Amino acid sequence: AEAPDNNFAPSVGTLTTLRLPDHIARIDSGVEEGQEITPYYDPMISKVITHAGTREEALGRMRQALSETYVAGLETNAAFLYKLAAQPEFIAGDVSTRFIDDHNDDLFHRAPADHAVWATAALWRKGQAEIRDDSPWASLRGFRLNRPRKEVIWLEDDGEAALLTLEEQVHGFAASLERKSAAALRREGQLPEAPISFSFSGEIAPSGEVRLEIDGRKLTTFVASHLEGLRIWIGASAYDVRSPDPLAGSSGQSQAEGSLTAPMPGVVTVLSAAPGDSVKAGDPLLVMEAMKMEHTIKAPQDGVVVAYKFAAGDQVKDGDLLVDFEQAE
């Protein structure tokens, strides 16, 4: 349980989904679905072990196992390990302590969300809506006299709302995705991009497996609830999708620009500056200790430390505001 994109920082939370490929690999694990990974112990979820007659064959089984490893509720390094096990130099055994640095672009690159992610999210949303809609009036949602039924679903794509429009067809749906509203683009003096169009059909099994056919191409994904949204797996790659309410506005939980929050539960050990100090971007502000590791919180840009919210020795929770920080003008 760690976040490779955040310098492999340990991840804590509840294992809301835990599916490990014990039909492919040997799994050594001491946790189960529903348990918590806490900040007080090593964040190990499991060891995935494969063997074969050659290193290449064993790594092939490892990649298959990692592509069927599904964990939601927190972050894991499963996708990173899959990429590692797919590197030709790693397969050949040509490794060193600089391997990650030397292959940084390949190991940390992730393809953007595509049709399979959006189609899976749409099927999940529709399925959940049908479960909730026990009213005969709600079941008429989207009804159009003598015209195909249409529905719209808001998704968060690359950090901004995207509108997915679905039109029912004889077999499946015709879909159109607009990443940004035309009105917003016009205000910024830009021309709206053409919508992304595709057709799909599919079904979600109780296990979370999704069988899709997109523009004639068949594939299988996996979906599970994750925090306030969904986590969707295509092979070993996981995509987190939220369904924002475009009318809800701000939740009020976001911090002011320049504020700094705890990335995980831990203990503040060192305050590296003092209130009123001017600092440069990247200067250390404080040090936290969590899961046997030290984590330095740095200034996001040039500015002034307004106040510390905790003292050395204080326990903090994930998301706690640590420093009031004012950006330099």
Side-chain angles (χ1 to χ4, degrees):
E2 61 184 17
D5 291 339
N6 187 24
N7 199 28
F8 296 93
S11 181
V12 299
T14 302
L15 293 163
T16 53
T17 296
L18 179 63
R19 307 289 174 85
L20 300 173
D22 54 8
H23 61 293
I24 301 172
R26 170 178 163 176
I27 304 296
D28 287 357
S29 180
V31 296
E32 60 185 18
E33 194 168 281
Q35 285 188 296
E36 281 195 51
I37 301 296
T38 72
Y40 310 113
Y41 303 99
D42 190 291
M44 178 73 71
I45 294 175
S46 72
K47 295 180 180 179
V48 181
I49 305 162
T50 59
H51 75 279
T54 67
R55 177 182 175 87
E56 185 172 356
E57 291 172 340
L59 284 169
R61 293 183 183 177
M62 178 62 72
R63 292 192 296 274
Q64 182 184 357
L66 291 168
S67 69
E68 297 185 34
T69 297
Y70 307 125
V71 183
L74 43 70
E75 302 306 316
T76 80
N77 59 7
F80 173 84
L81 295 176
Y82 177 92
K83 295 173 186 174
L84 187 70
Q87 289 294 309
E89 294 88 347
F90 189 87
I91 294 172
D94 181 14
V95 298
S96 73
T97 55
R98 287 194 50 81
F99 191 89
I100 293 177
D101 291 334
D102 291 343
H103 297 82
N104 183 80
D105 291 344
D106 291 333
L107 294 175
F108 291 95
H109 171 75
R110 190 187 69 162
D114 65 3
H115 302 171
V117 174
W118 305 325
T120 300
L123 287 173
W124 177 275
R125 283 287 307 278
K126 285 182 59 61
Q128 293 301 302
E130 289 168 4
I131 291 172
R132 292 192 300 268
D133 286 352
D134 54 359
S135 162
W137 309 110
S139 67
L140 297 177
R141 185 188 49 178
F143 174 77
R144 296 291 186 274
L145 184 63
N146 298 325
R147 297 189 65 185
R149 172 177 164 177
K150 285 188 177 182
E151 296 183 39
V152 294
I153 297 174
W154 285 96
L155 302 175
E156 189 173 280
D157 177 51
D158 287 336
E160 61 183 39
L163 183 64
L164 181 66
T165 303
L166 304 178
E167 180 178 310
E168 285 195 11
Q169 297 182 325
V170 177
H171 301 291
F173 301 90
S176 175
L177 183 109
E178 295 179 89
R179 282 200 175 94
K180 202 169 186 181
S181 72
L185 288 169
R186 280 196 294 270
R187 284 196 301 270
E188 298 171 11
Q190 303 177 44
L191 293 175
E193 297 179 7
I196 299 171
S197 300
F198 58 100
S199 298
F200 73 93
S201 61
E203 58 181 1
I204 300 179
S207 65
E209 185 178 80
V210 185
R211 298 177 182 87
L212 289 173
E213 183 170 336
I214 302 175
D215 291 336
R217 177 174 63 103
K218 294 183 178 180
L219 72 159
T220 300
T221 64
F222 191 91
V223 62
S225 296
H226 174 67
L227 303 180
E228 298 178 356
L230 303 175
R231 177 162 284 176
I232 297 169
W233 288 266
I234 302 177
S237 298
Y239 298 87
D240 294 340
V241 178
R242 292 179 62 252
S243 299
D245 182 350
L247 302 180
S250 173
S251 65
Q253 296 178 348
S254 60
Q255 303 292 345
E257 181 180 357
S259 65
L260 296 157
T261 58
M264 69 195 74
V267 176
V268 175
T269 57
V270 177
L271 302 181
S272 305
D277 283 358
S278 295
V279 294
K280 298 291 186 182
D283 283 352
L285 299 181
L286 62 83
V287 178
M288 286 179 54
E289 184 178 297
M291 293 183 173
K292 306 177 187 177
M293 297 176 62
E294 286 191 341
H295 305 273
T296 301
I297 308 300
K298 300 179 180 180
Q301 59 263 321
D302 295 353
V304 176
V305 176
V306 177
Y308 283 102
K309 297 296 187 179
F310 297 90
D314 287 351
Q315 181 83 38
V316 298
K317 302 188 298 296
D318 181 16
D320 278 349
L321 177 63
L322 302 175
V323 185
D324 273 337
F325 185 84
E326 188 174 278
Q327 184 177 354
E329 296 182 358

